[in-house]
Amino acid sequence: MITQNNFSNDSIQLSSFLKFCDYLSEIIIITDTENRILFTNSSFEEHFGFLDDQIKNKKIDKLFLDEKIIETNGKKTIASMVDKKGEQFKCEIKLLSQTNTVGNIEHKVYFINDLRESIERKREERESAEKFQSLFREIKDGLYESTPDGKLIDMNPAGVELFGYKSKQELLKANIAEDLYLNPYDRTKFKNQLEKDGYVKDYEIGVRRKDGTIVTVLETAFAVRDKDGTTKSYRGILRDITAAKNYEAKLRKYIEELGQVNKKLIKSEEELKELNAAKDKFFSIVAHDLRSPFTSLIGYSEFLRDDFEELSDEEIKLFANNIHESAHVVFNLLENLLQWSRVQTGRIKIEPEVLDISSLVNSTVNLLKNNAERKSISLVNDILPRTLVYADQQTISSVVQNLLSNAIKFTPRDGKIEIGCNLKKTNAEIFVADTGVGIKEEDKEKLFRIDTHLTTTGTDKEEGSGLGLILCKELVEKNHGKIWVKSELGKGSTFSFSLPTQG
């Protein structure tokens, strides 16, 4: 180090010293005893802007705003200086005086550090710190620093407000896992991920406010580690998303409600289509199926009216019998129409009860046995007495009557109809099997559909509406059952339906 006692006039040493000074970042100025500048290094020109010939032999006091600094020796001092452009700036100065052997001052060496960059850097650091403090105070999200063992070091005002505490000092006493986390295990999971990855982003957790209310937050944090990699603290941000979560839940509920409304609209549309199909079916039946029996009624009644005196007793009896059968067909058709109408409008009342299906079938067999006897058809009820089902008696009676009537209609003379039952675990399967004409494969799907019209005459040319099986399907389904058919053309058909055995 150059001191006031080792500066020599030796030209070789002086030349070496001056060259050395040009490599220093510090500003070096050497003056004589009259304070005239004898030497400046390259850093002087860089900071002050003067060329060597512009400043040499000039008084150094022109560079100082405070001339007293020139008399300072051996101490670091802060002084104000001025450059070529007249710009004032602060410098750190140390003055060393070079003396001769008798102690007289020969030269003064000024070591100067330009503080402009340092001052600017400190200003920027101060502004940055102020901005951070302002951000820390004003940001609406909670900012915190905590220890790995779960103690808060600092929390901004937004965080204090988030947790519902009166002051930061009160909040800093809280244990994070036990007092603030809704589920303490979340703190453990969060900490493990922080230690593993060094950071955690958008970790969704529930936290508890001081008053016990629950808030949902997204937590993003990173681990602060020393040079050895040891975690010193965690710093993070807490964003309250409770309102967004509530909005999301409401939106999800709204979408679900819209979905339900949409389903209802689709169902209403389907029901409307079915209603239109039912209306078309109704008009088709009225226009087509009522026409034939009424034509017979009108025709035979006109014969009786116009030719009564010319007709024999046998012809009168035959006409009367035909009129009776046509009226009976109309009556059955109107009965089915009336019941089907009540089903469509929801006016039919289903009152399920435990009933003996064998007894119900016996009653229907007795009701229709005359029709069967006219065609010499054997009606056999194989259902064991006290076979119990849980169903509405009136509607199931209509189902059995329709199925038996159809079996009689499509079974030729000397045929056989058998009614039986197969008991399953939770239901009973009742079947009506005949030795009739059977059904074409392509017609099976049309039997229970409202949008198709399938009607045929019986083996004795009995009339029908095509409505009976559709009514059977709806009545069976009203009783929580199903109906189906198996048939082979020319060999007969078996219609089956299921009913629950208990409520």
Side-chain angles (χ1 to χ4, degrees):
M1 179 179 177
I2 299 174
T3 67
Q4 61 185 25
N5 296 317
N6 60 14
F7 194 91
S8 173
N9 286 326
D10 184 271
S11 61
I12 297 176
Q13 291 187 14
L14 178 60
S15 176
S16 298
F17 172 72
L18 295 180
K19 287 182 179 179
F20 172 74
C21 287
D22 274 332
Y23 289 103
L24 296 177
S25 59
E26 282 182 300
I27 301 167
I28 306 296
I29 303 175
I30 301 176
T31 67
D32 60 14
T33 55
E34 299 299 324
N35 292 327
R36 287 189 297 269
I37 297 173
L38 300 176
F39 170 82
T40 59
N41 68 346
S42 57
S43 289
F44 174 83
E45 182 182 341
E46 180 183 343
H47 288 270
F48 283 85
F50 291 103
L51 297 176
D52 187 57
D53 58 354
Q54 292 175 328
I55 198 68
K56 200 169 185 179
N57 294 320
K58 298 290 193 299
K59 288 277 191 176
I60 195 173
D61 57 359
K62 292 184 179 180
L63 302 176
F64 287 96
L65 295 178
D66 185 2
E67 294 185 7
K68 293 181 181 180
I69 196 67
I70 301 173
E71 307 304 324
T72 305
N73 186 40
K75 296 180 181 179
K76 285 185 178 181
T77 307
I78 303 298
S80 295
M81 301 188 76
V82 61
D83 62 13
K84 184 179 179 180
K85 296 179 180 179
E87 182 180 335
Q88 299 177 18
F89 60 95
K90 294 289 184 179
C91 286
E92 181 185 70
I93 300 174
K94 185 174 182 180
L95 171 61
L96 297 178
S97 299
Q98 177 66 34
T99 59
N100 58 21
T101 55
V102 295
N104 294 324
I105 296 175
E106 291 185 343
H107 301 91
K108 295 178 182 178
V109 182
Y110 293 84
F111 295 88
I112 303 172
N113 283 316
D114 189 338
L115 297 179
R116 279 180 287 194
E117 289 186 3
S118 174
I119 291 171
E120 179 64 18
R121 186 166 56 252
K122 288 181 179 178
R123 184 189 65 79
E124 290 176 352
E125 289 174 354
R126 184 173 61 255
E127 287 182 357
S128 178
E130 289 174 354
K131 286 179 181 178
F132 174 78
Q133 285 299 321
S134 176
L135 179 66
F136 186 78
R137 291 190 302 270
E138 301 300 329
I139 193 171
K140 300 305 179 183
D141 295 326
L143 299 176
Y144 72 88
E145 183 173 11
S146 67
T147 63
D149 61 353
K151 295 292 183 181
L152 285 170
I153 299 172
D154 199 5
M155 179 73 78
N156 71 336
V160 176
E161 182 180 353
L162 173 67
F163 286 102
Y165 283 78
K166 293 181 179 178
S167 67
K168 180 170 76 173
Q169 289 69 27
E170 183 185 14
L171 177 58
L172 295 184
K173 295 176 184 178
N175 181 285
I176 295 175
E178 295 177 4
D179 299 330
L180 305 183
Y181 271 63
L182 179 62
N183 183 358
Y185 180 62
D186 280 338
R187 169 70 181 179
T188 304
K189 288 168 61 180
F190 179 77
K191 180 179 175 181
N192 290 342
Q193 190 172 342
L194 259 180
E195 292 296 335
K196 178 184 175 184
D197 300 329
Y199 72 95
V200 174
K201 183 179 180 182
D202 292 340
Y203 187 84
E204 185 175 319
I205 55 168
V207 296
R208 185 185 294 107
R209 289 168 53 86
K210 185 181 178 182
D211 62 6
T213 57
I214 306 303
V215 177
T216 304
V217 300
L218 285 181
E219 185 169 5
T220 297
F222 65 93
V224 180
R225 293 179 173 141
D226 61 19
K227 60 182 180 179
D228 298 324
T230 303
T231 301
K232 308 300 291 183
S233 67
Y234 303 141
R235 291 176 184 169
I237 183 168
L238 300 167
R239 174 159 293 176
D240 186 353
I241 60 168
T242 307
K245 293 290 285 185
N246 291 340
Y247 176 77
E248 182 183 332
K250 289 180 180 178
L251 182 61
R252 188 164 51 247
K253 183 180 178 182
Y254 177 67
I255 291 172
E256 289 174 357
E257 289 175 352
L258 280 179
Q260 293 298 321
V261 170
N262 190 45
K263 286 180 180 178
K264 288 180 180 178
L265 286 174
I266 293 172
K267 185 179 179 182
S268 296
E269 184 180 3
E270 291 173 350
E271 289 175 349
L272 183 60
K273 287 180 180 178
E274 291 177 0
L275 186 60
N276 285 331
K279 179 192 69 175
D280 293 341
K281 180 72 174 178
F282 177 80
F283 284 122
S284 173
I285 291 167
V286 171
H288 179 272
D289 296 326
L290 284 178
R291 182 183 182 121
S292 181
F294 270 113
T295 299
S296 297
L297 281 172
I298 293 170
Y300 286 120
S301 62
E302 283 181 349
F303 273 121
L304 287 174
R305 183 194 65 189
D306 298 337
D307 302 321
F308 181 80
E309 295 178 355
E310 299 174 8
L311 294 174
S312 65
D313 291 343
E314 282 191 17
E315 288 176 325
I316 293 173
K317 186 176 181 181
L318 176 63
F319 286 1
N321 186 59
N322 288 337
I323 290 172
H324 173 77
E325 288 183 358
S326 295
H328 190 69
V329 169
V330 172
F331 177 80
N332 287 338
L333 177 58
L334 291 176
E335 188 75 18
N336 277 342
L337 279 172
L338 182 61
Q339 194 165 24
W340 178 70
S341 173
R342 285 200 294 267
V343 171
Q344 299 306 305
T345 55
R347 289 184 290 116
I348 194 165
K349 197 170 183 181
I350 304 296
E351 296 179 340
E353 59 180 314
V354 177
L355 57 90
D356 184 352
I357 192 68
S358 177
S359 175
L360 184 147
V361 169
N362 278 333
S363 298
T364 309
V365 167
N366 289 332
L367 183 66
L368 299 175
K369 67 180 180 179
N370 289 337
N371 294 352
E373 287 174 356
R374 278 199 295 268
K375 297 176 71 174
S376 300
I377 294 172
S378 173
L379 280 180
V380 180
N381 179 11
D382 287 334
I383 302 177
L384 294 175
R386 298 295 298 166
T387 299
L388 304 180
V389 296
Y390 187 74
D392 176 70
Q393 182 171 351
Q394 183 178 354
T395 55
I396 297 305
S397 179
S398 294
V399 171
V400 174
Q401 185 173 339
N402 266 290
L403 292 180
L404 277 179
S405 294
N406 278 351
I408 294 169
K409 175 181 173 183
F410 293 106
T411 299
R413 291 182 177 279
D414 301 319
K416 181 180 180 182
I417 298 173
E418 179 186 3
I419 305 99
C421 178
N422 296 316
L423 287 175
K424 303 295 183 181
K425 187 174 182 180
T426 58
N427 59 39
E429 293 181 356
I430 298 96
F431 63 87
V432 177
D434 63 53
T435 57
V437 295
I439 305 166
K440 295 178 183 178
E441 193 66 33
E442 62 267 24
D443 288 340
K444 288 182 184 178
E445 295 181 359
K446 302 176 183 178
L447 294 174
F448 303 106
R449 288 173 55 181
I450 189 67
D451 57 342
T452 61
H453 185 206
L454 180 66
T455 179
T456 55
T457 56
T459 54
D460 273 4
K461 302 193 182 302
E462 299 99 324
E463 297 289 341
S465 68
L467 185 64
L469 289 177
I470 296 168
L471 179 62
C472 286
K473 179 178 182 293
E474 296 191 3
L475 294 179
V476 167
E477 288 176 352
K478 290 284 185 183
N479 282 275
H480 306 290
K482 293 181 180 180
I483 188 168
W484 64 96
V485 62
K486 291 181 181 180
S487 183
E488 189 174 349
L489 195 62
K491 293 187 177 181
S493 303
T494 299
F495 283 83
S496 304
F497 64 94
S498 62
L499 292 173
T501 54
Q502 54 188 358

